[in-house]
Amino acid sequence: MQQKEIQQQLPPQTTPQQMKTIIYIENLDQGISEDYLYRKFKEVGEIQSLKITKDKTTQKSKGQAFITFAHPDSAEEARKKFNNSVFIRNVIRVKPYFNYHNADKKANIFINNLPEDADILELEQEFSRYGTVQSVDVHRDILGKQLNYGYVQFEKKEDADNLIKRVMNHPITHKGKLLKLEQFKAQSERKVESSSIYLRAIAKPLPQKYWEQDKVVRAIEYGWSLIIKDYFQKHGTQVKDCFVKIDLHTRQPWSMISFENSEQAKDNLDICEQQRKHPCINSGAHHALELINKHGPPVNSDASEAFSIAEITQAFKEMAQDHNDTFKGESENFFYNMVYSKHLNPDDRLILVQNIKEEVTKEQIQEFLSRFGKVIRLTIRKTKNPRFQVQQCFVHYQTMEDSKRARSEIYDENNAEISKIKKEIFKDGHVMMNILLSKTMRKEFKEVKKQSQSIFQNPGGRQLLQPPFGGNFPVMPPQMPFPPGGQGMRQMPPRGPRSGPFPMMRTQVPRPHMMNKQPMQPPMNKVVQPQSFIQEFSDYTLVQSRMEEFLKIPLADQRNVLGNLLFQKVFDVVKDKEATKKVVGMLIDPSQFEIGDILNMFEDNQELQTYIDDGLSLIKEETQK
């Protein structure tokens, strides 16, 4: 059979039985043709159709393909034989085809804590014990490495519900790792108020001698879950679920507790805020052993006991005699949060502190910030954008009250002692502090910033089409669009995603004293060189390397220098000299953008493109009048 004789399209309506004959291939090298795939995959069975997906505009391969076999066994064999094989240069991934659009979303389960070498076929076989599995997918990063999470799609919602109920008492393990399963939730569903709280570092680190005993570790995790459930039961609060694990790196236990409603979760979060711990984690090894004897050991997915009472009794008795008994729930870095809220709302306890002097050590900044409350984590690093601040740090206070106190007292200029320390730690004694927004909120804030800075929002409207400076300050220097010497402007390379956790905030640039609003009069017997700054800062790299000097020149000259440097970047897009002059005139208009905003345009090509598009639209609108 020749490749051209193969059908090029998948059936428009694919039944569950037909889907078993189709495989989906991704991460194909662009040099791979359909003929090549046909020759490779026909080894495992008769092929009915084959299609490499291509870009509609360029007609280049997207690195994906669909192959339909005559028999399901051939599709299964193709997955086993070719998944993770090297085709030309790329490691390809072969998956079962599945039409997610027709699937029941409520029958989808999110899998977390998968091992790095998770096997999709083995997972599918394991989950098939609980119902008809339509698809199992393990997510990968851009390099093709398997991540620790994925999804299993059942045919019926009832099967998914039964599995979730079953794993509460009969956990599923895969290659030695305990899988965490939960009902799939769309982003819109996750925005509802959470009814779960997350408690981290609820006790001191587990001693090494116990950490090396797998069954003892499993018994401690189980004992913790029983203690927490017992506490809430005695206090009349219904707990839907309680999950406890000991962290691999810190050897400290953490817990996820789910309540009947969000009000109960909030009430218990308030207890953590007030007491810096939660009473549900204040117990002892004797009590844990009593509860394990009462309820019996947990069971594995194959219904076997995870451990016997006899295997863990001695260790629990030793723990009860030790002043470091893990079940006492004593911890210096106890942390709490609402589940999912961290994706939607800022955590008031996490603060970004900037403008720290280069010579200041982590110990110095830790000592200063600890004056205002309990610091449970502090990370300090040099910034990749050193023209505005030398170092920055992320400080996580234990409670919101600690964070509020820090933000209030650090900014209190009437406190002479604090002001003195600030001058020792922060450049020019100037502190920059912000609550660290979540990724979702940072994206939203960036959009709001672009809207507020859009040149359409200028109160002067179409007056922006006129030169923003008059008299002695022309919009463009005479040499434009090229600097002295006739050489072309250096094109700055596009920058990748912004580094740092707070890229959308307007940069605080030290501003010189405001210039006299009257036109500048040159002193007698002295010739003013209006182009001197243009020549001195003829390339943006010079501005970067000499930022301190640049910020000391008159503000209007700063704008002219940056306008000169922006001209070629804008001209490369606009391709029209007059239109470029008008757009750049808008971009350096002091009523629209501060110097820090203009500097950011050199480093964020996407943001600059947005402003160019706005400017061209405004010019077009003015021309059509």
Side-chain angles (χ1 to χ4, degrees):
M1 178 188 293
Q2 297 298 317
Q3 187 272 331
K4 64 181 180 180
E5 298 174 341
I6 301 174
Q7 299 177 29
Q8 295 297 302
Q9 299 293 333
L10 293 173
Q13 298 295 329
T14 312
T15 66
Q17 189 60 31
Q18 288 174 323
M19 282 193 289
K20 293 181 180 180
T21 66
I22 306 172
I23 59 171
Y24 167 62
I25 310 170
E26 60 183 3
N27 203 38
L28 288 169
D29 189 285
Q30 282 201 334
I32 287 181
S33 65
E34 293 177 341
D35 283 327
Y36 180 92
L37 286 182
Y38 177 70
R39 288 196 300 271
K40 282 284 188 181
F41 281 86
K42 74 174 184 178
E43 297 174 7
V44 297
E46 180 185 347
I47 295 177
Q48 292 186 336
S49 70
L50 185 151
K51 176 70 174 177
I52 291 180
T53 58
K54 296 181 180 179
D55 185 274
K56 292 182 179 179
T57 304
T58 65
Q59 288 301 303
K60 289 184 178 180
S61 167
K62 291 184 178 180
Q64 304 164 342
F66 295 91
I67 300 178
T68 302
F69 290 92
H71 303 287
D73 292 344
S74 300
E76 182 73 11
E77 180 63 24
R79 289 168 58 195
K80 291 180 180 178
K81 182 174 182 177
F82 294 110
N83 188 40
N84 293 324
S85 298
V86 178
F87 276 28
I88 302 184
R89 290 171 298 181
N90 291 6
V91 177
I92 69 167
R93 296 186 287 277
V94 183
K95 302 178 179 180
Y97 168 73
F98 179 66
N99 188 346
Y100 287 94
H101 297 290
N102 298 331
D104 184 353
K105 301 298 186 294
K106 294 182 179 180
N108 189 276
I109 289 178
F110 174 67
I111 318 169
N112 203 357
N113 202 40
L114 284 165
E116 291 183 358
D117 58 343
D119 187 286
I120 292 179
L121 297 179
E122 290 181 12
L123 286 171
E124 185 176 311
Q125 187 176 16
E126 172 67 27
F127 290 122
S128 295
R129 298 166 52 192
Y130 308 101
T132 302
V133 173
Q134 294 184 321
S135 171
V136 175
D137 183 34
V138 177
H139 280 220
R140 295 174 180 265
D141 62 19
I142 57 175
L143 299 177
K145 181 182 177 182
Q146 284 195 165
L147 300 174
N148 69 341
Y149 66 93
Y151 298 89
V152 54
Q153 176 70 49
F154 283 94
E155 184 178 0
K156 298 178 181 179
K157 176 182 179 298
E158 293 76 15
D159 294 335
D161 292 341
N162 290 335
L163 174 59
I164 292 295
K165 292 176 183 177
R166 180 177 175 81
V167 295
M168 289 184 180
N169 298 315
H170 304 281
I172 295 177
T173 58
H174 181 61
K175 296 192 173 183
K177 295 201 73 172
L178 186 68
L179 302 186
K180 182 183 175 185
L181 307 179
E182 62 180 77
Q183 207 86 36
F184 168 77
K185 291 182 180 179
Q187 186 67 25
S188 57
E189 295 177 295
R190 289 175 179 260
K191 290 186 178 180
V192 299
E193 290 290 340
S194 173
S195 60
S196 301
I197 61 174
Y198 167 61
L199 308 181
R200 191 191 69 198
I202 61 179
K204 292 179 179 179
L206 196 65
Q208 186 66 34
K209 63 178 180 179
Y210 300 129
W211 180 247
E212 296 171 352
Q213 303 177 51
D214 291 340
K215 292 190 175 182
V216 172
V217 171
R218 179 75 178 90
I220 292 172
E221 293 171 342
Y222 179 60
W224 266 118
S225 66
L226 294 178
I227 284 174
I228 293 171
K229 290 177 181 177
D230 182 66
Y231 169 86
F232 284 108
Q233 184 178 6
K234 288 179 178 178
H235 287 78
T237 301
Q238 182 65 38
V239 174
K240 292 177 64 177
D241 190 25
C242 175
F243 185 81
V244 179
K245 285 291 289 182
I246 296 178
D247 186 86
L248 180 64
H249 303 289
T250 65
R251 302 204 306 271
Q252 290 180 279
W254 58 267
S255 177
M256 198 82 74
I257 308 172
S258 298
F259 298 91
E260 289 291 336
N261 53 62
S262 59
E263 287 73 21
Q264 291 176 334
K266 288 179 180 178
D267 289 344
N268 282 280
L269 208 68
D270 289 341
I271 293 174
C272 297
E273 173 73 17
Q274 296 160 8
Q275 301 185 17
R276 297 181 185 270
K277 64 181 300 183
H278 197 290
C280 74
I281 53 178
N282 184 19
S283 186
H286 272 313
H287 186 210
L289 187 58
E290 289 174 0
L291 292 173
I292 292 174
N293 275 293
K294 176 181 177 181
H295 295 277
V299 295
N300 297 316
S301 57
D302 60 359
S304 63
E305 285 191 344
F307 56 83
S308 67
I309 302 293
E311 288 176 310
I312 58 98
T313 298
Q314 185 59 35
F316 272 62
K317 288 182 177 179
E318 290 177 4
M319 261 187 284
Q321 303 300 320
D322 192 336
H323 68 280
N324 287 326
D325 179 1
T326 184
F327 291 102
K328 288 182 179 178
E330 298 173 355
S331 172
E332 289 295 315
N333 56 337
F334 173 69
F335 173 82
Y336 57 93
N337 213 337
M338 290 283 284
V339 180
Y340 299 137
S341 64
K342 60 185 177 182
H343 299 297
L344 307 170
N345 303 307
D347 184 351
D348 287 354
R349 296 164 297 172
L350 181 56
I351 300 175
L352 172 64
V353 183
Q354 298 172 293
N355 210 39
I356 304 168
K357 289 182 180 179
E358 186 173 9
E359 65 272 14
V360 172
T361 65
K362 180 178 180 180
E363 289 71 25
Q364 286 176 284
I365 192 68
Q366 173 100 26
E367 181 182 358
F368 173 66
L369 295 174
S370 295
R371 299 168 64 97
F372 312 104
K374 175 71 174 177
V375 174
I376 61 173
R377 184 169 65 239
L378 184 143
T379 305
I380 189 167
R381 68 187 183 194
K382 293 184 183 298
T383 62
K384 295 182 180 180
N385 195 1
R387 64 179 182 270
F388 301 127
Q389 62 272 332
V390 182
Q391 293 187 102
Q392 65 183 15
C393 80
F394 304 98
V395 57
H396 214 148
Y397 283 101
Q398 189 176 50
T399 70
M400 282 172 273
E401 281 303 315
D402 293 338
S403 172
K404 290 176 184 177
R405 180 187 171 193
R407 284 177 279 140
S408 173
E409 294 192 16
I410 288 177
Y411 279 120
D412 183 6
E413 298 299 333
N414 295 322
N415 190 322
E417 183 183 1
I418 297 299
S419 297
K420 180 181 178 181
I421 299 175
K422 286 194 296 184
K423 291 178 180 178
E424 297 172 355
I425 293 179
F426 300 97
K427 189 176 177 182
D428 302 321
H430 176 59
V431 186
M432 295 167 60
M433 298 178 66
N434 291 294
I435 295 173
L436 192 62
L437 297 181
S438 66
K439 184 176 180 181
T440 303
M441 291 193 72
R442 291 204 302 271
K443 184 177 179 181
E444 291 175 0
F445 187 86
K446 189 170 184 178
E447 292 302 317
V448 171
K449 176 179 177 251
K450 284 184 178 180
Q451 289 292 329
S452 63
Q453 289 186 340
S454 169
I455 52 185
F456 287 111
Q457 303 299 321
N458 181 64
R462 292 175 177 79
Q463 292 178 3
L464 283 176
L465 295 176
Q466 305 302 319
F469 300 119
N472 296 319
F473 297 100
V475 172
M476 295 297 159
Q479 285 97 339
M480 294 189 66
F482 302 111
Q487 299 299 315
M489 293 287 290
R490 176 180 181 271
Q491 177 66 30
M492 293 299 292
R495 199 181 69 161
R498 288 206 175 191
S499 58
F502 208 17
M504 73 300 296
M505 292 300 293
R506 175 170 290 186
T507 311
Q508 302 295 322
V509 180
R511 302 177 67 178
H513 295 295
M514 292 299 294
M515 299 179 58
N516 192 310
K517 294 185 179 181
Q518 298 298 322
M520 292 181 63
Q521 299 296 329
M524 294 296 292
N525 302 322
K526 185 175 181 181
V527 178
V528 176
Q529 297 292 336
Q531 297 304 316
S532 62
F533 294 124
I534 298 294
Q535 296 168 2
E536 188 176 354
F537 297 100
S538 59
D539 191 286
Y540 185 66
T541 55
L542 295 174
V543 176
Q544 286 181 305
S545 61
R546 299 170 56 194
M547 185 59 65
E548 295 290 339
E549 298 174 46
F550 176 76
L551 294 175
K552 291 178 181 178
I553 71 176
L555 194 60
D557 288 308
Q558 291 180 34
R559 293 184 182 277
N560 278 338
V561 168
L562 296 178
N564 180 66
L565 300 178
L566 274 173
F567 188 91
Q568 187 64 37
K569 291 176 72 70
V570 177
F571 183 78
D572 288 342
V573 177
V574 176
K575 307 298 184 185
D576 180 86
K577 186 175 179 180
E578 292 305 315
T580 299
K581 285 184 179 181
K582 292 179 180 180
V583 171
V584 174
M586 299 175 196
L587 297 181
I588 62 173
D589 183 348
S591 69
Q592 283 298 308
F593 299 102
E594 294 182 3
I595 294 298
D597 297 318
I598 303 173
L599 289 168
N600 283 337
M601 295 177 194
F602 288 89
E603 301 193 18
D604 191 332
N605 288 335
Q606 185 176 2
E607 184 172 325
L608 176 60
Q609 183 64 54
T610 299
Y611 297 143
I612 292 173
D613 292 342
D614 284 348
L616 293 176
S617 298
L618 192 55
I619 292 171
K620 182 178 179 181
E621 185 180 325
E622 178 71 14
T623 304
Q624 292 174 349
K625 283 189 63 178

